[in-house]
Amino acid sequence: MSLGCVAASAQAQDWFQLEAGIGMSSAVKTGDGIWYWSDMRHRTPNNSIAGRIGIQVNLIDARPHSWVPGLRSHLTFGYFGHLHWTSVAGEDAPPDHSYGLDAQTGGCYNQNCGYQREFDSTGDMMAISLTLEPYWNLGNGWTVGVEAGPALYRYTWTSYATNLQNSPGHFGPYGTAGAVETFSHAPRWYPGALVGASVGYKNWSLRYNYLYSPSKWEDGVPSGVKGVHMLTANYTW
């Protein structure tokens, strides 16, 4: 009886585990013209420190060296990183295209960008996800798995646009060079998705995830990114 109780206790303990990881993320830009302009001076680094923490539930154990997968579930909070971009932008072109930004090329008509502003933008991305992960036991403590499931993501984005010349007010605020207009929004949660793959050795794992987080236009302020790749080193206990 005592051996049976010990085995049952160990099995129950293994069924529910905590996990945490830290690594790097790489954002996928929403596109040219959304807070940066490729043919104008800009700096838009995509990489950031990222991390995840959550609960792993081992639903079905995988037998060693079997093609039949086991199954585990992950309820995870992920922080997908922080971005800081700067970019110069010119005016939108008038109907005659005599000057201003060319939306097709990202450059300016007649090499005249009109009044210009510099955008200084920052943003963060986070998500809560619930995924299922079929996994295979390769033996000697090694496992491989793939996962997918729904996610709720939340982004913040703020941009400060500074006049680079005196402005009459039709592009940015009226005023002298240095006048600033702020763009921001009220953060909300949106439906998305998370997919990934992992390689594990005993309690350690290397996990790749991709967060599908399409940019929204709430309050007229879209996110600068529409998805994020993340690679983390994780420990489960």
Side-chain angles (χ1 to χ4, degrees):
M1 290 292 292
S2 61
L3 290 176
C5 289
V6 170
S9 174
Q11 185 176 14
Q13 194 172 26
D14 290 340
W15 181 75
F16 176 90
Q17 295 179 285
L18 300 177
E19 58 181 345
I22 189 169
M24 295 291 296
S25 65
S26 180
V28 180
K29 296 174 182 176
T30 299
D32 197 356
I34 308 298
W35 306 119
Y36 79 97
W37 291 263
S38 60
D39 280 2
M40 305 195 74
R41 176 170 54 84
H42 67 282
R43 182 178 180 275
T44 55
N46 291 340
N47 299 329
S48 175
I49 298 293
R52 58 189 294 275
I53 187 169
I55 299 168
Q56 175 177 294
V57 180
N58 302 308
L59 301 173
I60 302 174
D61 288 335
R63 297 193 303 273
H65 310 295
S66 172
W67 286 105
V68 179
L71 185 65
R72 50 199 179 198
S73 179
H74 303 271
L75 177 60
T76 307
F77 170 80
Y79 176 69
F80 286 80
H82 175 81
L83 295 178
H84 181 196
W85 294 354
T86 57
S87 180
V88 172
E91 291 183 71
D92 291 334
D96 63 2
H97 292 172
S98 58
Y99 67 93
L101 286 174
D102 182 345
Q104 300 298 318
T105 68
C108 297
Y109 290 106
N110 300 316
Q111 298 183 337
N112 180 1
C113 297
Y115 291 98
Q116 297 179 39
R117 294 198 286 176
E118 183 166 26
F119 287 78
D120 188 297
S121 307
T122 58
D124 294 84
M125 182 72 75
M126 60 195 69
I128 298 171
S129 60
L130 178 62
T131 60
L132 289 175
E133 181 184 20
Y135 74 99
W136 290 264
N137 187 336
L138 305 181
N140 298 319
W142 288 94
T143 62
V144 295
V146 293
E147 67 174 322
L152 290 174
Y153 69 94
R154 180 180 184 268
Y155 75 89
T156 61
W157 198 270
T158 301
S159 186
Y160 300 97
T162 303
N163 290 356
L164 297 183
Q165 303 103 3
N166 295 342
S167 171
H170 60 276
F171 180 57
Y174 175 85
T176 59
V180 178
E181 183 178 11
T182 301
F183 299 89
S184 62
H185 68 107
R188 302 173 178 88
W189 291 93
Y190 302 100
L194 187 81
V195 297
S198 69
V199 176
Y201 178 69
K202 297 184 178 179
N203 292 78
W204 294 93
S205 67
L206 186 66
R207 185 172 296 274
Y208 162 78
N209 288 113
Y210 177 74
L211 175 66
Y212 172 68
S213 54
S215 183
K216 304 296 183 180
W217 288 79
E218 299 288 353
D219 306 321
V221 180
S223 169
V225 302
K226 60 182 180 182
V228 188
H229 302 277
M230 181 167 69
L231 184 66
T232 53
N234 303 268
Y235 187 80
T236 304
W237 66 96

